[in-house]
Every structure is written in C-alpha cells, then in structure tokens.
Amino acid sequence: MQTITSIRLLRNALSPLRNAGRSIGLVPTMGYLHEGHARLVSTAREQNDVVVVSIFVNPLQFGPNEDFAQYPRDLHHDEQMLTALGCDFIFAPSVNEMYPEPAVTVVDLPEMGQVLCGRTRPIHFRGVATVVSKLLHIVQPDKAYFGQKDGQQLAIILRMVQDLNLPLAIVGVPTVRESDGLAKSSRNIFLSVQDRPHATVLYRALQVARDDIEAGQRFAAEVMAHMAALISAEPTVRLDYAEAVDARTLQPLSVLSGTVMLAVAAYVGKTRLIDNIVLPLPPIDSPDIP
Ligand code: AMP
C-alpha cells in the first residue's frame, strides 16, 4: 500500500492500471477510521482490482462555527488499518493540494442540501458535493462507496452522479453499529462517559418509528412526533430534527409510501449525532395499505 499526497502522482500511479483494464474502487473518507469505514473498504476490496481510500478533512463542508480544527485525525492509525484491509492506495492530500486557490466552481443541489441537516449546516452539502466531484475527477473510479449512515449525503451523491452523467456506479453500504445500536462515527469519541448511554436514543427512536409503521401508521406527522418526543425526553439530549422523507428526493412526505427515510439528528451533550433507516413501503395506492 502506498500513501500519496499529490494529485499528479496519484494520477500517474492509477492511469497504467486503468489502461490495463483494472477496475478501480474509491472510498472517500475524512479519516480517523473505524469499523464503519472498514465495511466500505472491504466491500470495495471484494468488487474491484484496485482500491483507493481518500483521507481528506474538507474545509469547504464545515461551517465557520463547526469542528474543522477539532475534527479527529490519525493518519498513522488509518494507514495500519487500511494495510490490514488490503487497500492499495491512500490519497491524503493537503488542503493546499485540493484548493490551491479558493474554489470558485462549486457543485450545489440546494433542494436536497437545504433540508434535514442542511437547515443547521447550510453550506455543508455544497462542500461535500464539490469535494466528491473533485475526487471522482481525480481518481476516475469505476465505483465509489458511501455509507447509508450519512443518508442525505448518499442521496445527494446519487443525484449528482445522475444529473451530471458521471461515468461510475455509486454503491451504498449499510450502517455499522455498536452492539447497543449507536451508529459508529468518528465523532463518538467526543461523547462523555455520562452522555454515551443517552446517545442510543437516536436508534431507539428510529426503531420505535419502524414499529409504528409496521403496525400500520402511515401519517408522517404522527411518526415524526413520536420520534421527536422520545429524543426530547432523553436526559442531556437536544433534538435537532426527526423527519420522514422520500429516500431518493429527500422531500417531506405527509403519507408514508414508497422508499421512506426516517432521519434524526440530535445534540448529545455538545456532540451532534445523526442516524437514519430506510424502509421500503408499499406505494400509496396499494391494496396492502391497511
Ligand atoms: P466520514 O469519514 O465520516 O466522512 O465517512 C466516510 C464514509 O464512511 C461516508 O460514506 C460515511 O457514510 C461512511 N460511514 C461513516 N460511518 C459509517 C457507519 N457507521 N457505517 C457505514 N458507513 C459509515
């Protein structure tokens, strides 16, 4: 495995492999890798000849009062983990390598980027779509891998690739969780010992909502209110949102049908956590609806 920090050197390394017909899989990350990332990398390893993992904490996707400076970083640990997973190349550029000048060209999907997390993080998804677009142009992979954990991000990347006719497949990978249900996240290390047990309320709320829906509830407002009440009642937890949206377009639903994403975000202590589940429901005019 090689760690490469220069765009030119990465292209020089990949182009003979691509020309020889080797398939390339890309896993974009911000590093500080955990088992969630590992699931993406092992899926990419199974499906491609060459695996590239990018590690880049992208300043463009952090708001002025967000945790860009504090975001955890540990390249040495990441290199050890990725060697064990059979990764071929780590692409770990500096901010200056990715943005030698401030980005004038950006990729923005406001209808999908201003909802859910976009309400508290208004520039986040423009930063994500822009950097992912750059990474896709730099690496030119056959497939790129994203976690369902960041469901809004996955939906936005799928739509960007569709709208811009980018020549690759996006692969969504299921969320990896701790044994108590908490979705694995690099930010979980910020949870205090006191707050940690309360962090499970996000997944518990999603499970309760799923139970409501399985019992026949189809009114989004009822499901959302139930999730919000559970999260708000949890000590040391402050609700950001609890919503039921169309999983593909991220637009709100009043009656739940088709592929639905239940998505929640909350501050646990000072740490903002997100989680979601996707439920395939019968279409609205189906006789299966109770
Ligand atoms: P990040 O380093 O947080 O930007 O995440 C890089 C990629 O790993 C994104 O596609 C995430 O959705 C994915 N990811 C992060 N946590 C998990 C998890 N618990 N399960 C599955 N994928 C994850």
Side-chain angles (χ1 to χ4, degrees), residues 28-30 34 36-37 40 146-147 149-150 153 174-176 184:
T29 80
M30 298 202 297
H34 51 67
H37 301 105
L40 272 65
F146 292 87
K149 152 82 175 25
D150 298 281
Q153 168 173 284
T175 302
V176 178
K184 297 219 180 220

Side-chain angles (χ1 to χ4, degrees), residues 27-40 54 56 61 71 145-151 153-154 171 173-178 182-188:
V27 182
T29 80
M30 298 202 297
Y32 210 76
L33 304 179
H34 51 67
E35 287 162 54
H37 301 105
R39 180 77 58 88
L40 272 65
S54 62
F56 180 58
Q61 70 191 59
Y71 196 84
Y145 295 80
F146 292 87
Q148 181 59 49
K149 152 82 175 25
D150 298 281
Q153 168 173 284
L154 175 58
V171 180
V173 177
T175 302
V176 178
R177 300 179 178 282
E178 303 287 354
L182 176 65
K184 297 219 180 220
S185 163
S186 306
R187 288 191 172 97
N188 290 352

Side-chain angles (χ1 to χ4, degrees), residues 83-255:
T83 304
L85 289 166
C87 165
D88 299 299
F89 297 100
I90 297 179
F91 177 49
S94 64
V95 171
N96 189 54
E97 179 72 2
M98 289 297 275
Y99 303 108
E101 291 189 90
V104 171
T105 306
V106 293
V107 181
D108 200 7
L109 297 77
E111 282 160 45
M112 299 178 75
Q114 297 299 319
V115 297
L116 303 175
C117 288
R119 278 197 290 277
T120 41
R121 310 188 73 190
I123 58 136
H124 176 67
F125 291 104
R126 182 173 64 205
V128 168
T130 301
V131 79
V132 170
S133 171
K134 283 167 73 75
L135 290 168
L136 296 179
H137 284 95
I138 292 165
V139 176
Q140 297 175 46
D142 298 280
K143 294 188 170 137
Y145 295 80
F146 292 87
Q148 181 59 49
K149 152 82 175 25
D150 298 281
Q152 184 171 13
Q153 168 173 284
L154 175 58
I156 285 175
I157 300 299
L158 283 165
R159 189 56 183 248
M160 173 182 84
V161 164
Q162 178 187 320
D163 284 354
L164 298 180
N165 303 96
L166 301 184
L168 82 159
I170 299 298
V171 180
V173 177
T175 302
V176 178
R177 300 179 178 282
E178 303 287 354
S179 54
D180 63 2
L182 176 65
K184 297 219 180 220
S185 163
S186 306
R187 288 191 172 97
N188 290 352
I189 57 148
F190 295 135
L191 293 167
S192 70
V193 179
Q194 292 76 24
D195 291 340
R196 172 63 183 81
H198 301 300
T200 56
V201 74
L202 280 81
Y203 190 54
R204 280 187 276 126
L206 293 169
Q207 296 298 105
V208 166
R210 183 206 307 251
D211 291 346
D212 289 349
I213 293 167
E214 278 174 5
Q217 180 59 261
R218 288 293 180 276
F219 292 114
E222 298 287 333
V223 172
M224 285 159 51
H226 199 175
M227 291 193 292
L230 278 168
I231 293 172
S232 301
E234 188 75 17
T236 80
V237 176
R238 183 162 58 84
L239 177 71
D240 181 353
Y241 65 77
E243 294 199 36
V245 298
D246 180 295
R248 196 178 79 85
T249 64
L250 305 178
Q251 299 313 302
L253 295 168
S254 48
V255 176

